[in-house]
Amino acid sequence: MSGTTSTLEPLFTFVTSSYAALETNFFKIPGSAVVARYVKSSHQNDPGRTLLEVILIIFAVRTLLQSRTRADHSGKHFIQFDEKEIDDLVDEWTPEPLAQPLTQQEKADLACAPIIVGPNGPKPKLSTGKTVTNLASYNFTGLSGNTIIKERAIETLRKYGLGSCGPPGFYGTQDVHIQLERDIADFLGTEAAILYSQAFSTISSAIPAFCKRGDVIVADRGVNFAIQKGLQISRCTVRWYDHNDLESLEQVLESVEKERRKKKAPLTRRFIVTEGIFDHDGAMSDLPKLVELKEKYKYRLILDESVSFGSVGRTGRGLTELYNVPASQVDMLVGSVANGLSSCGGFCAGSHVVVNHQRINGTSFVFSASMPATLSVAASEGINILRNTPSILSTLQDNVRAVRAVLDRVECISIPSHSASPIIHINIRWPSPATLQLPSATSSPTKPSNPLSVLPRDPPQFDVELEERLLQDVVDEALAQGVMITRARRLRGQELVDVRPSVRLAISAALTRKECEKAANTVKAAFVKVLGKRR
Amino acid sequence: MSTAASYLSAVSEADARARAHGGTPNSTPALSLSSSLTGSSEDTVLDDTGADVVDALLYPRVPPTSEQVFTTVHTEFGHCANEKYRFTSQHRAGTPYKSNPEQDPPYYIVLTTYLSYLMVICLGHLRDFIGKRMRPSRYKHLMAQNGYAALNSDFDSFYTRRLKTRIDDCFSHPVTGVPGRTIVLLDRYSPDYNVTMIPTGTRTRALNISSYNYLGFAQGKGACADAVEESVIRYGVCAGGTRLEGGTLDLHLQAEALVARFIGMEDALISSMGFATNSTIIPALVTKGCLVVSDEYNHASIRYGVRLSGASVRMFKHNDMQSLETLLREVISQGQPKTHRPWKKILLIVEGLYSMEGTLVNLPVVMELKKKYKFYLFIDEAHSIGALGPHGRGVADYFGINPRSIDILMGTFTKSFGAAGGYIAGNKALVDRLRLRGHSGTYAEAMAPPVLTQVIASMSSIMGVTIPVEKSSSPALPLLRASSVDTHVSEFEPECAYPGTAPVSALPVWMPLAPTLVDGSDGQMRLRRLAFNTRYLNRGLRKLGFITYGHDDSPVVPLLLFGPGKMAVFSRMMRTRATPIVIVVVAYPATPLVLSRVRFCLSAAHTKEDVDMVLTACDEIGDFLDLKHGAGERWPLQEIIDRAVELVNMPEAP
Ligand SMILES: Cc1ncc(COP(=O)(O)O)c(C=O)c1O
């Protein structure tokens, strides 16, 4: 013991002497006495604070010194080269071309999108000169082209100009945006709402605003692309349940809870992410059951109503109205102003806490200009029209029923969409028994899918190329007969689960029942003609 | 289910409430009041009875002479007929690019800045500590409760609650009307230290040196607004779906062709949101196995897109070409991490004009490096397009570089063009691939017709329009050969010289063409006024002794404040002047911790008097707040104002 003290002796003297030198030098700095006194007295009052301050100073110095762009030479994989070698390597390196030219197939894929000349609407004129019945564009409630909306839009244009010329934080928040946010919140019955300037970017920013690494998300296997991107950015733990199968959801919730208890992990944020009406196939979620589950397991619910808002319910308020579930029970209700109100942008409605949090953390809210005032007013006016004219939604539902009445009886197709869904996906139904099974998970499998993997246990098999080609033939045939429909476009290879090719119809209240029936018959005939040839 | 019943009744009540308000829920007081602001829009000068009238903002100091006719509203786009107050934004060939040296403030400023952060942080923790014990209810939403983890824990939100809230009155100020030369603030106050903001119902008109309105196209009156009005009548406000699923209008093709021509590229695509242009298209450019070399100050949208793409990312020091070259040598020689396989491709992503720094990308050097290191170059011209270059074509134009030697030019319409959305321009094969593989074309709504029209009108206004002598044979659908997607851009007359004018066949036939738009004089005037204002404010501020960052030709002018407390005071003092001025203050995390700053955004809509006014205000406040720590020669305020033209025209700031 004493031995160690003696060996440390010189060290101690060195420390004390250098401390003394430091002290004298320190007091030579003007104003240092004040600092010393401050430190001393604060240390007396609260030693903890001194510690805190010291830590803060160290932290500040570290931040200052740390360069974010420091090269990573330390890794054990780093190979030392001299300049000459590097020059050679640089000369040798040949990058791949930035983009391969499109293949013939891809060119056709791009070219088959119809071009509308003049306004879009129920009966647009195409670049071929033909006027067609439109079952492709989103115009559920027929607001597109509404004269009152046009008048209000022009009025607003003259008062506000077009662009907002700034992100919401920097003088981009105009009274019309506040008004539209209030209108949406009021319409849905939530405390507040926040507007994003593009529907696609809404949920892919809203999810990462709340969900961070370590948080848990339980998501449907069939969620749309925007949600997939949101999940990817958020980097949280994702568990998957079978598409639109709430039993599977419950199993997954149960297993997550079990896992947490086993690991004694701390409580983290937990979310269920799903859609109201699925963009991929038009299936509809059972909202009351979802709410029940989320309350039982104490999850928050993020519901994407991009398709269902402005298209179902008595006045178009979406799933919450259809099922009589108070919107306040959905923690984050995301919708599309572009689809639902025929304007542009998207929103997330919820409590004040939810909305205000996004005003600081929603990336595409904070870092993007707010939407043009004109379009914001157009959307407000749209809500107003929906409120005052419930007949729009009943017309829409009538039209949906009329179309379904025709299509449901066609043998060579199958429709995974819910009967009230204004978007109708049509798959090819093959006669052979092997592929007869639908991707729907109603036939409860004996062994559940693995929640860690996005792929279901036995994914449905289909020939993408063949089906897409046939469906395009159907689309072309329908167009030739005067009905514009479209294949559901997918980024194959980028979607997490390959979606079965389908034709997607979007029904509009702007068409009459007769027109819908007629168009549906045309579509039917096109299917029968194209698929009949192959039998 | 009593909740459902109460919900239903609440819903019908809400409906009734809305109906009682005379049908239109947004014919709110806000809107109807504002009609008194702009109602008499036929006059060159607005009748401003509704707002706090400030003469200096409403009327030009020198009333127009009888032969001067101004077609703009002075509050939107200032009247300035003096041809001396013009300049051309152009890099002098043969000189290296040089932005103003970043000066360090005296030590005591740095020290006090750190101390003030320390103080607010300590105070914040103290308040949290006490608050959680004395008023637990206020912290409830930050704590786990009945089985739910907090949405936003007290730790995560500390910075927002305890630092940002203190100066929240400087952010998200609601406004109304045109965000042009002036802007109308909706006054508000906070009874509880910025936790809630309550509108007072009054308005204040203020000089707007904050909006991204570089060319002054934010106008409710004028050629662009006329064109947009016509398009709303014809097209309505909605395109109706995604580009590939029944949302493509003829206007989209026309706008895309015009943009390609404007930028000087083979082809271009447009997307309905600037942020999404980056975040949804970069993933289609690079994938795993590719490397993105990114400037450390690149915009959030670029980072978002790169993260989605799965490519590796390396950052280099902001605009430091030495650092870039070192990095390039390292990454090319090392190859992919662990495997050392060569990279599939390397994409360098930079911005043309950095909106927080005011620096321009050092393009001449980047182009040299590009030749040597064979990377692909992506320039985000969100702020530089329209705002830079003798023809407003962005950084390439400014430096006199052929745009086609750059691989991808991206930009947004929210800034210079007073519209919304963004574009990507490049060669045809590339752009077609992005149309198909980018997320936007398949899943995002197409751009709305009024926005497209604003883009077309403002762009052709900058370009000028050539009207051929004999009438084009099929004027009705000039661009619809584009339906055969293969041909749509190259079909323009072969002499599509860059930077050329817009052929009238590229514009919608119904678009009203004002004479000043056709001859390009309107666009030229805007470009040259912006260039003058830009140089004048940049050099003026430095002559006053302020530390500013960036380049003299950057319309974004950051003025360094350092101390966090000074931000709030600066902003409030500007806003409460006799002639109010609204400014933007930015701090951590948008900037490094100690480099808080004010950011001015100049516009062609400002007159020289407006810039004088800003300089005067800065001079006074700068003395009060001890901000003048810049090195170099100083001039008194009056001298700067008097010798403005001379100051602007000096080749190098003395
Ligand atoms: C460099 C850069 N890219 C993209 C954007 C996004 O543009 P927008 O506001 O049109 O979404 C911005 C806007 O601030 C920007 O500065």
Side-chain angles (χ1 to χ4, degrees):
Chain A
M1 185 71 198
S2 67
T4 39
T5 336
S6 62
T7 49
L8 284 179
E9 204 79 59
L11 189 67
F12 279 141
T13 43
F14 173 72
V15 169
T16 25
S17 68
S18 50
Y19 177 73
L22 207 66
E23 193 174 302
T24 42
N25 277 325
F26 174 71
F27 281 107
K28 276 185 202 149
I29 304 171
S32 57
V34 183
V35 177
R37 207 166 53 232
Y38 167 79
V39 172
K40 222 178 257 170
S41 67
S42 89
H43 186 73
Q44 246 165 18
N45 294 344
D46 180 3
R49 196 162 119 198
T50 319
L51 187 70
L52 187 73
E53 285 174 7
V54 168
I55 293 171
L56 279 169
I57 289 176
I58 293 172
F59 186 70
V61 170
R62 209 192 72 152
T63 333
L64 199 69
L65 295 183
Q66 196 175 40
S67 159
R68 277 193 289 157
T69 56
R70 194 180 37 196
D72 173 33
H73 289 287
S74 50
K76 60 176 187 289
H77 292 286
F78 192 84
I79 309 171
Q80 210 63 49
F81 291 111
D82 62 30
E83 292 299 303
K84 174 77 182 49
E85 286 170 319
I86 294 183
D87 280 335
D88 289 346
L89 284 165
V90 166
D91 283 342
E92 261 168 44
W93 181 61
T94 32
E96 287 179 9
L98 188 53
Q100 302 286 356
L102 296 187
T103 61
Q104 214 53 43
Q105 170 65 35
E106 287 169 323
K107 272 186 189 161
D109 225 21
L110 189 59
C112 69
I115 297 157
I116 295 162
V117 177
N120 199 347
K123 298 261 182 186
K125 188 164 163 228
L126 298 188
S127 54
T128 49
K130 201 172 176 126
T131 300
V132 291
T133 306
N134 190 348
L135 290 187
S137 310
Y138 287 131
N139 182 24
F140 301 129
T141 43
L143 292 175
S144 161
N146 183 297
T147 40
I148 301 171
I149 291 182
K150 283 186 185 175
E151 271 166 34
R152 301 273 297 131
I154 291 171
E155 209 177 288
T156 315
L157 169 73
R158 292 305 183 180
K159 281 178 198 158
Y160 290 83
L162 191 82
S164 65
C165 289
F170 300 146
Y171 308 100
T173 309
Q174 294 172 321
D175 48 356
V176 291
H177 299 126
I178 300 175
Q179 185 61 44
L180 177 56
E181 286 174 352
R182 212 176 291 149
D183 285 341
I184 290 172
D186 219 27
F187 188 57
L188 290 170
T190 59
E191 280 177 19
I194 177 174
L195 271 183
Y196 288 79
S197 45
Q198 189 190 51
F200 179 82
S201 296
T202 305
I203 196 154
S204 49
S205 262
I207 291 178
F210 295 108
C211 318
K212 309 278 184 233
R213 208 187 281 274
D215 294 342
V216 177
I217 288 185
V218 176
D220 189 291
R221 285 200 163 86
V223 291
N224 64 35
F225 196 74
I227 297 181
Q228 293 170 20
K229 292 295 125 183
L231 297 180
Q232 187 187 342
I233 283 281
S234 75
R235 292 179 173 160
C236 51
T237 313
V238 185
R239 294 288 178 271
W240 303 94
Y241 68 93
D242 284 336
H243 176 45
N244 209 16
D245 179 352
L246 296 191
E247 264 166 47
S248 162
L249 170 61
E250 182 153 19
Q251 282 163 8
V252 174
L253 295 178
E254 194 64 60
S255 75
V256 171
E257 182 59 25
K258 225 184 264 162
E259 197 182 332
R260 187 176 82 85
R261 260 192 250 121
K262 206 166 70 196
K263 281 198 204 147
K264 296 207 176 65
L267 186 64
T268 53
R269 288 173 283 251
R270 293 175 303 184
F271 302 85
I272 296 172
V273 180
T274 186
E275 286 178 79
I277 290 181
F278 287 86
D279 179 46
H280 276 173
D281 61 1
M284 192 188 287
S285 289
D286 180 358
L287 188 58
K289 182 88 198 299
L290 262 178
V291 169
E292 189 194 312
L293 283 179
K294 78 136 201 150
E295 296 204 324
K296 179 169 165 201
Y297 290 91
K298 301 210 182 296
Y299 276 61
R300 292 184 173 91
L301 176 60
I302 303 183
L303 185 69
D304 187 346
E305 292 225 55
S306 293
V307 177
S308 48
F309 173 77
S311 71
V312 296
R314 193 182 61 88
T315 51
R317 287 170 165 92
L319 232 55
T320 49
E321 190 178 28
L322 189 72
Y323 282 113
N324 267 345
V325 174
S328 53
Q329 295 196 351
V330 179
D331 301 86
M332 293 116 203
L333 196 159
V334 178
S336 161
V337 179
N339 292 353
L341 300 170
S342 292
S343 172
C344 83
F347 67 84
C348 176
S351 65
H352 287 302
V353 175
V354 162
V355 166
N356 289 339
H357 182 74
Q358 289 177 71
R359 292 195 196 280
I360 299 160
N361 297 291
T363 324
S364 73
F365 176 82
V366 175
F367 294 104
S368 178
S370 48
M371 70 155 105
T374 304
L375 297 172
S376 178
V377 169
S380 282
E381 194 59 43
I383 290 189
N384 196 29
I385 293 170
L386 291 187
R387 269 184 207 275
N388 293 319
T389 4
S391 63
I392 296 181
L393 265 294
S394 49
T395 311
L396 176 62
Q397 280 308 317
D398 280 348
N399 288 351
V400 172
R401 265 193 300 275
V403 172
R404 289 299 291 261
V406 174
L407 295 179
D408 279 346
R409 287 200 301 267
V410 183
E411 207 169 289
C412 56
I413 60 173
S414 67
I415 300 180
S417 307
H418 189 271
S419 58
S421 162
I423 62 167
I424 301 175
H425 282 265
I426 308 176
N427 299 132
I428 297 174
R429 188 206 301 258
W430 298 104
S432 68
T435 44
L436 238 172
Q437 286 168 354
L438 294 182
S440 78
T442 38
S443 55
S444 57
T446 40
K447 197 162 153 279
S449 319
N450 176 10
L452 293 178
S453 153
V454 66
L455 296 175
R457 205 169 65 97
D458 13 54
Q461 304 294 320
F462 44 82
D463 182 341
V464 174
E465 235 167 79
L466 172 71
E467 295 199 357
E468 290 280 19
R469 203 177 62 236
L470 288 173
L471 290 174
Q472 186 57 43
D473 287 347
V474 173
V475 170
D476 293 342
E477 172 63 23
L479 193 63
Q481 303 305 323
V483 178
M484 178 164 100
I485 56 177
T486 175
R487 271 183 301 137
R489 294 304 192 107
R490 306 274 165 243
L491 284 179
R492 304 239 167 243
Q494 297 192 48
E495 291 264 7
L496 287 178
V497 182
D498 218 358
V499 193
R500 180 113 193 227
S502 61
V503 156
R504 176 187 58 62
L505 311 184
I507 312 301
S508 167
L511 292 167
T512 64
R513 200 190 154 90
K514 271 256 151 47
E515 286 166 333
C516 285
E517 261 164 17
K518 186 159 166 256
N521 276 313
T522 312
V523 174
K524 173 183 163 185
F527 266 104
V528 171
K529 180 169 171 197
V530 171
L531 296 180
K533 260 192 257 165
R534 295 188 48 87
R535 283 165 203 240
Chain B
M1 217 173 166
S2 67
T3 37
S6 60
Y7 163 71
L8 266 187
S9 68
V11 160
S12 51
E13 260 170 46
D15 280 356
R17 214 161 47 236
R19 270 185 225 109
H21 278 286
T24 47
N26 60 345
S27 64
T28 53
L31 263 175
S32 36
L33 256 181
S34 68
S35 62
S36 64
L37 285 177
T38 43
S40 55
S41 58
E42 287 317 299
D43 304 333
T44 32
V45 170
L46 287 181
D47 168 19
D48 215 295
T49 44
D52 225 345
V53 181
V54 183
D55 272 2
L57 295 178
L58 291 185
Y59 307 102
R61 204 175 56 197
V62 188
T65 56
S66 52
E67 71 265 27
Q68 287 170 353
V69 186
F70 292 105
T71 54
T72 59
V73 182
H74 188 57
T75 49
E76 283 175 14
F77 194 93
H79 298 166
C80 169
N82 191 338
E83 280 299 322
K84 277 202 277 204
Y85 300 150
R86 305 285 190 267
F87 191 71
T88 303
S89 154
Q90 188 163 25
H91 181 71
R92 283 194 308 145
T95 56
Y97 166 81
K98 205 160 92 254
S99 58
N100 295 306
E102 297 201 354
Q103 302 174 22
D104 290 325
Y107 273 115
Y108 77 92
I109 297 276
V110 179
L111 200 70
T112 48
T113 304
Y114 272 117
L115 277 181
S116 35
Y117 271 109
L118 204 66
M119 218 160 70
V120 275
I121 290 173
C122 291
L123 257 174
H125 281 300
L126 196 70
R127 286 176 64 186
D128 272 3
F129 181 82
I130 297 172
K132 275 179 205 166
R133 280 154 187 81
M134 309 293 282
R135 289 217 192 86
S137 64
R138 287 208 189 164
Y139 289 81
K140 230 171 73 191
H141 67 282
L142 302 172
M143 302 292 162
Q145 47 177 329
N146 45 17
Y148 288 92
L151 256 192
N152 192 12
S153 73
D154 55 339
F155 179 76
D156 292 342
S157 62
F158 180 80
Y159 177 82
T160 320
R161 284 183 300 119
R162 290 300 176 206
L163 276 74
K164 181 172 170 289
T165 309
R166 285 171 174 272
I167 55 169
D168 250 358
D169 59 327
C170 309
F171 302 112
S172 303
H173 208 302
V175 299
T176 185
V178 177
R181 173 180 159 263
T182 66
I183 197 163
V184 177
L185 298 175
L186 302 174
D187 300 331
R188 57 182 185 176
Y189 75 100
S190 176
D192 48 10
Y193 301 102
N194 296 342
V195 178
T196 50
M197 296 277 184
I198 300 174
T200 58
T202 57
R203 292 137 185 272
T204 308
R205 189 177 281 282
L207 182 69
N208 176 14
I209 185 139
S210 299
S211 291
Y212 302 136
N213 178 29
Y214 301 124
L215 290 181
F217 279 113
Q219 286 177 296
K221 189 167 186 279
C224 291
D226 293 345
V228 177
E229 173 168 343
E230 186 62 33
S231 79
V232 173
I233 294 171
R234 282 170 184 268
Y235 285 84
V237 295
C238 179
T242 69
R243 281 298 296 277
L244 294 178
E245 288 180 334
T248 300
L249 304 177
D250 50 349
L251 273 183
H252 287 110
L253 304 182
Q254 286 168 331
E256 285 183 344
L258 191 66
V259 169
R261 212 182 156 93
F262 182 86
I263 311 293
M265 290 294 225
E266 210 178 6
D267 200 356
L269 69 83
I270 54 188
S271 122
S272 53
M273 183 193 199
F275 184 97
T277 314
N278 279 331
S279 69
T280 65
I281 302 231
I282 292 176
L285 280 171
V286 281
T287 50
K288 223 168 144 74
C290 303
L291 177 73
V292 172
V293 176
S294 170
D295 189 291
E296 61 174 334
Y297 290 159
N298 273 351
H299 192 252
S301 56
I302 299 175
R303 298 177 188 200
Y304 192 106
V306 172
R307 232 166 97 182
L308 281 185
S309 74
S312 307
V313 201
R314 292 295 295 272
M315 289 199 279
F316 64 96
K317 192 158 172 288
H318 172 59
N319 222 7
D320 182 338
M321 294 299 122
Q322 202 69 52
S323 159
L324 173 61
E325 181 160 14
T326 316
L327 179 63
L328 284 169
R329 292 177 72 82
E330 183 200 319
V331 293
I332 296 177
S333 61
Q334 295 292 324
Q336 299 190 32
K338 297 210 181 98
T339 61
H340 296 288
R341 250 182 251 148
W343 296 101
K344 287 189 198 158
K345 36 191 169 179
I346 295 180
L347 182 67
L348 173 67
I349 305 187
V350 290
E351 290 182 31
L353 166 60
Y354 287 83
S355 63
M356 292 293 167
E357 313 298 312
T359 43
L360 314 184
V361 61
N362 192 343
L363 197 55
V365 178
V366 169
M367 295 313 290
E368 268 168 42
L369 291 178
K370 178 170 158 53
K371 263 190 220 116
K372 178 156 180 209
Y373 294 100
K374 296 175 276 192
F375 54 79
Y376 297 109
L377 178 58
F378 179 114
I379 307 186
D380 179 336
E381 294 222 70
H383 290 268
S384 50
I385 193 68
L388 285 178
H391 311 93
R393 310 296 216 271
V395 273
D397 187 24
Y398 179 82
F399 286 109
I401 287 169
N402 179 1
R404 300 217 177 178
S405 58
I406 298 163
D407 302 286
I408 307 152
L409 286 170
M410 175 269 172
T412 66
F413 303 120
T414 19
K415 280 106 195 172
S416 296
F417 305 103
Y423 66 80
I424 295 252
N427 68 40
K428 172 118 184 72
L430 173 74
V431 173
D432 271 347
R433 180 150 293 281
L434 297 179
R435 285 194 172 104
L436 210 53
R437 299 303 292 171
H439 311 162
S440 286
T442 315
Y443 300 105
E445 76 242 30
M447 193 187 259
V451 184
L452 288 165
T453 312
Q454 172 81 13
V455 170
I456 294 176
S458 55
M459 223 167 235
S460 52
S461 169
I462 302 171
M463 299 168 85
V465 178
T466 28
I467 301 179
V469 201
E470 94 271 35
K471 265 257 167 258
S472 150
S473 54
S474 71
L477 302 171
L479 263 167
L480 288 178
R481 335 154 207 164
S483 51
S484 56
V485 176
D486 269 331
T487 50
H488 80 268
V489 175
S490 46
E491 281 245 345
F492 273 129
E493 307 84 287
E495 92 291 352
C496 78
Y498 165 84
T501 55
V504 73
S505 60
L507 309 179
V509 272
W510 43 264
M511 201 175 102
L513 295 175
T516 51
L517 187 152
V518 172
D519 64 14
S521 60
D522 175 64
Q524 269 303 310
M525 180 267 292
R526 288 172 195 263
L527 292 171
R528 303 186 60 225
R529 272 176 69 170
L530 174 65
F532 176 86
N533 291 343
T534 294
R535 245 169 129 96
Y536 178 33
L537 185 67
N538 261 309
R539 292 188 166 175
L541 284 176
R542 241 184 342 275
K543 279 272 171 279
L544 282 174
F546 289 102
I547 299 184
T548 63
Y549 278 1
H551 192 274
D552 276 353
D553 287 330
S554 149
V556 180
V557 187
L559 184 160
L560 273 287
L561 296 178
F562 304 103
K566 290 179 180 175
M567 282 195 298
V569 179
F570 193 99
S571 171
R572 286 168 202 156
M573 285 180 83
M574 286 294 238
R575 200 169 59 228
T576 50
R577 287 176 68 80
T579 310
I581 302 175
V582 294
I583 51 132
V584 162
V585 285
V586 268
Y588 180 82
T591 69
L593 192 66
V594 287
L595 300 179
S596 309
R597 58 196 70 171
V598 177
R599 189 183 64 181
F600 302 110
C601 289
L602 286 154
S603 165
H606 295 129
T607 61
K608 170 169 181 291
E609 285 75 38
D610 295 334
V611 184
D612 292 347
M613 197 146 61
V614 173
L615 284 170
T616 312
C618 286
D619 187 45
E620 284 168 25
I621 299 173
D623 283 334
F624 179 78
L625 289 180
D626 185 23
L627 296 175
K628 299 180 174 176
H629 297 293
E633 188 201 3
R634 297 198 187 172
W635 290 4
L637 177 69
Q638 198 53 49
E639 187 178 350
I640 296 174
I641 293 177
D642 293 341
R643 294 171 61 188
V645 176
E646 189 189 333
L647 187 64
V648 166
N649 285 301
M650 287 176 188
E652 282 292 327

